[in-house]
Amino acid sequence: MKATVIAIFFGVFLMCTYAAKEATKKTKKAKLYVPQIDCDVKAGKIINPEFIAKCPPGCQDVKYRVYGTDIYASFSSVCSAAIHSGVIDNTGGKILVQKVAGHSGYRGSFSNGVRSLSLPRWRESFLVSEGKPRKGVTYPSTLEYSSSKSTAVKSEPKKPEQDLKATKSADTTNASEKASEQGDTVRREYRTSSVPTPATQMATTTPTPTTTTTDPSTTTPKPTTTPATTRTTTVAAAAKTRAGLHRVRDIGSSSVHPAYSSVVAAASRQVQAAQGRGQNTGTQRQEPVAAFRRAAGSPAHLAMETDLWKPGLSLFDTGFSSKEELNTKPLESTSQGNPNCKVDLSFLMDGSWSIGKRRFQLQKQFLGNVAQALGIGSAGPLMGIVQYGDDPSTEFNLKTYANSKDLRNAIEKIPQKGGLSNVGKALSFVNKNFFSDANGNRGGAPNVVVVMVDGWPTDQVEEASRLARESGINIFFVTIEAAAESEKQNVIEPNFVDKAVCRTNGFYSINVPSWFSLHKVVQPLVKRVCDSERLVCSKTCLNSADIGFVIDGSSSVGTNNFRTVLQFVANISKEFEISDTDTRIGAVQYTYEQRLEFSFDKYSTKQDVLSAIKRISYWSGGTSTGAAISYASEQLFSKSKPNKRKIMILITDGRSYDDVRVPAMTAHQNGVIAYAVGVAWAAQDELEAIATDPDTEHSFFVDEFDNLYRFVNQLIQNICTEFNSQPRN
C-alpha cells in the first residue's frame, strides 16, 4: 500500500514537472515572437513604453509622416522614422522603440530617402534603434494600442455627488474647459500610474494604461464620442487647473478625420461670428479649439490635440491670425474691392503629400488671411487658386468670387490633392490656361502668381518660369522650411527661386523658416503684390534676351575710338536687367580673325559684365564682317537658352573684305534679331543686309565715333517696341 502511494505521488510529480517544462517552453517560444506593425502606425498609438516590432516593406513613402531628427515626436510613423534614422531600409525589418519625454524644437531633415518635418513641440518622443533586445528587459509579444472607443477605458469608481456637481459646474462655466475635460478623459489611457495632482499627471512621459481593454489587431481605432458619464473628479480638477491657460496651438492637425472637415469649417465660421460679437480676448483664443472639439467629439482626435495646450504659446505661434492683425473689415457680398491694388492674382498652393494635413490647413488659413487683407473686389484685386501635386488643377478662377468673405469660405473647403511638388508643371499650366478672358483676366491689371512651396520642388522650374515671365507674369515665391545646408544636395534645381522670380533682389521671394510663423508674412506679401510700381515683369524686353555684341577691332578704328565703342556697348548693356535668369551679355571682337571675349554664361551680374567690357583689349587688323557674323552664330547664339530672344548688335567702321549677305541671312533664319551700327566709312548697303527687316528700324549710321552715344536710347527703344508688338505667348 505504501509503495502504491509513493508510486502515485512520484507519477504526479513527474506529470507536474513535465507540465512546468512545457509551460516554460511555450513561454520562451512566446518571448521569441516579434509583433508586426503597419507603416502608418504612430508611436503615440502604442501604449508600451519599450518594445521590439517588425516593420513591413514599403514604408519609405511621403504619406507616412515623420517629425524630428534622431529623436522623433510620437506623432510620427514608427517605421518611416526607422528608415529616416538608418536603422532599416525600405525592405523593412526589426526595430527597437523606446519612449522618452516630449520636448520643444523637433528639427526636420532629409535622410535615407525620407523627409522629416519640424515641429515646435509635442507631448512625447521616442528613439528607434536596431531590433536587438536589451539585457534584462522583457519585451511584449503583443502590443497594446490606445483605443478611441469610450468603452475601452473603464471608468474609475464614482465620486460623491458634490464632485460630480463640481464637474458639471466646470462644464457650464467655460466652453474651453469642457474641451479640456474631454481631452483628459481620453488621456487616462496614457497614464503610467495614479497621480495625486493634475500637474504631476501632465508631467508623465512614459505612458502605460491605467485600465484598458485593447485589440492588438486594431491599429486604426474608429472615432466615437466620449460619454459624459466617464468623467471623474480627476478630470474636473485637471479642467479647472487648465482654465487659466488662455493660449492654444494649431487646430489644423493632420489628425482631423476627413469625415469631420465640414464640421471643422462650420465650427470655424461659428467662432468668427462669435468673435465679431465682441467676446473678450481670453475667450476668443480658447474658442476655436473648443468649438472644434465640441463639434467633432472624437476622443482619438482629442487625445492627440489636448496636450497641445501649453503655457506661453501665443495664438500667432500656431498659424492663426486675429482680425485685429489683418486690420481689415469684412466686405459685403458685393464689393468694389481695394482700388489701390488692382491686380489679377493666382496662388499656386502646395497640395503635395510632404506638406501633411496640418500644414495644409495652415496654408489655407494663410490664403484666407491674404484674401481678407487684399480686399477682393471688381475694382480691386481678384484672386484665384491653383493647387498642385503631381498635376495642377484650378480650384477657382479670377471671376469665381468677387469678395473676400466668399473667397475665404471657398478656400476653407479645398481638399488636399496629394502627390509630388511639381512646381514647374504648375507654372506652365498657369501660363497657358489661367490668365485668359474666359477666366476673368482683365487685361489692364498686372498678372501676378504667388507660388507656395514646402521645402523644394520635385521638378525643374527655370524654363517654365522664364516662359511665364516673358508672358508678362510677375512671379513671387513663398518658400517654407527651405532646404538646410546638409539637405541642398537633394534639391533637384539649386537656387530654383532665383531662377524663377522676376528679380533676384529679394523683392519677389519670401523665405519662411516654419509653417507656424507663416502668418507673419501676410502683410508683407500683400504690400508687395499691390506695389504696381515694382511689378516690372511686364518690361520683359529688358530681362529676357541674350544680347551678343560683334565689335569691329580693325586697324582703321584706332585705340581711342575703340574705347569709345566699348563705352557705347557698356551704355547699352547697363540698361538691361542682367543675371543668369534675365538678360545675358556676350561679346565677340573681329578683324580678319575672330575672338570670343566672353560668352553668355560667363558673367551673371551687371557689374561683372561692365567690368569685362572695360577689360577688352584692342586687337587691330583687317575687316572680315561676314566671317564674324558666322562665328558669333556658332560661338554665341547656338548656345542661347530656349525661349530667349537672340539679339545681335554689330558695330563696324568700314566695308567688309568678305560677303555679309549669306552669313546674315543664315543668322536671321536661326532666329537672331540683328542690329547694324555703322560709323564713318561703313557701307550702307552692307548695314541693310546685316540688319533684320525692316532694316530702317534695325540699322543706324553715324559719321563720328563720338556721336555713337546718341543712338543708345533709340536702339533700346526699338528693341522694346519690337518685343511688345510680338504675340503674348
Side-chain angles (χ1 to χ4, degrees), residues 630-673:
S630 297
Y631 181 86
S633 296
E634 295 169 5
Q635 298 299 318
L636 277 180
F637 296 108
S638 66
K639 300 174 183 177
S640 182
K641 289 189 176 182
N643 305 310
K644 282 281 192 181
R645 297 172 67 240
K646 295 179 282 190
I647 297 175
M648 178 175 70
I649 300 176
L650 184 144
I651 306 106
T652 182
D653 81 326
R655 182 174 290 277
S656 176
Y657 293 168
D658 61 356
D659 177 67
V660 299
R661 289 171 175 78
V662 173
M665 187 179 299
T666 301
H668 298 162
Q669 292 171 348
N670 289 330
V672 176
I673 302 170

Side-chain angles (χ1 to χ4, degrees), residues 349-642:
M349 68 183 303
D350 190 340
S352 62
W353 286 128
S354 68
I355 192 175
K357 290 183 180 179
R358 168 190 277 174
R359 286 161 173 77
F360 188 74
Q361 293 290 341
L362 290 177
Q363 182 178 209
K364 291 197 295 183
Q365 180 76 19
F366 171 77
L367 295 178
N369 290 342
V370 169
Q372 184 70 32
L374 281 169
I376 303 299
S378 57
L382 294 178
M383 176 175 160
I385 289 184
V386 171
Q387 184 181 174
Y388 69 89
D390 290 333
D391 297 294
S393 60
T394 301
E395 298 293 341
F396 37 85
N397 60 38
L398 294 168
K399 66 180 183 180
T400 307
Y401 300 104
N403 64 77
S404 294
K405 181 179 178 181
D406 291 344
L407 182 58
R408 293 189 75 175
N409 291 337
I411 292 170
E412 199 173 274
K413 298 174 184 176
I414 296 175
Q416 187 175 2
K417 285 174 63 70
L420 300 174
S421 299
N422 290 333
V423 176
K425 185 180 288 188
L427 283 168
S428 296
F429 174 86
V430 168
N431 186 30
K432 295 175 182 176
N433 302 291
F434 190 86
F435 293 106
S436 65
D437 294 341
N439 287 335
N441 187 52
R442 292 173 289 184
N447 294 157
V448 178
V449 170
V450 180
V451 185
M452 307 286 294
V453 182
D454 173 51
W456 55 85
T458 52
D459 64 349
Q460 296 196 351
V461 303
E462 182 177 4
E463 292 304 320
S465 301
R466 185 188 328 307
L467 283 171
R469 294 198 312 270
E470 290 176 2
S471 295
I473 297 174
N474 297 272
I475 301 175
F476 288 79
F477 264 67
V478 179
T479 54
I480 306 96
E481 298 184 2
E485 199 64 37
S486 60
E487 297 175 320
K488 288 186 177 179
Q489 70 271 15
N490 302 308
V491 180
I492 292 176
E493 191 173 26
N495 302 318
F496 66 91
V497 173
D498 287 344
K499 294 177 180 178
V501 297
C502 301
R503 297 286 183 275
T504 57
N505 57 7
F507 179 79
Y508 288 88
S509 59
I510 299 176
N511 181 35
V512 185
S514 168
W515 280 96
F516 300 95
S517 57
L518 184 59
H519 64 278
K520 297 178 182 178
V521 303
V522 171
Q523 293 294 349
L525 179 62
V526 168
K527 184 177 180 180
R528 295 186 194 192
V529 299
C530 292
D531 190 353
S532 58
E533 293 298 317
R534 298 187 67 178
L535 296 180
V536 293
C537 282
S538 58
K539 300 178 182 179
T540 49
C541 61
L542 300 179
N543 62 17
S544 61
D546 282 342
I547 301 177
F549 290 92
V550 181
I551 305 168
D552 186 345
S554 61
S555 302
S556 58
V557 174
T559 302
N560 290 338
N561 288 335
F562 187 78
R563 304 317 303 174
T564 302
V565 170
L566 293 184
Q567 187 60 54
F568 173 75
V569 170
N571 289 342
I572 293 174
S573 299
K574 69 182 182 182
E575 294 300 317
F576 289 84
E577 296 294 334
I578 297 173
S579 77
D580 58 353
T581 60
D582 295 310
T583 291
R584 302 185 303 171
I585 305 293
V588 168
Q589 184 182 176
Y590 74 94
T591 56
Y592 283 124
E593 299 176 287
Q594 306 83 34
R595 183 169 73 194
L596 179 65
E597 299 293 350
F598 54 89
S599 59
F600 290 137
D601 59 0
K602 181 70 173 178
Y603 303 109
S604 58
T605 69
K606 186 177 294 187
Q607 188 57 51
D608 288 345
V609 167
L610 296 178
S611 297
I613 292 170
K614 187 176 181 180
R615 290 195 301 269
I616 295 176
S617 59
Y618 178 48
W619 204 356
S620 186
T623 309
S624 295
T625 307
I629 294 171
S630 297
Y631 181 86
S633 296
E634 295 169 5
Q635 298 299 318
L636 277 180
F637 296 108
S638 66
K639 300 174 183 177
S640 182
K641 289 189 176 182

Side-chain angles (χ1 to χ4, degrees), residues 184 191 193-204 233-235 237-238 241-242:
D184 278 6
R191 278 189 227 146
S193 61
S194 298
V195 281
T197 64
T200 308
Q201 179 180 337
M202 292 176 67
T204 300
T233 52
T234 303
V235 175
T241 301
R242 294 206 182 123

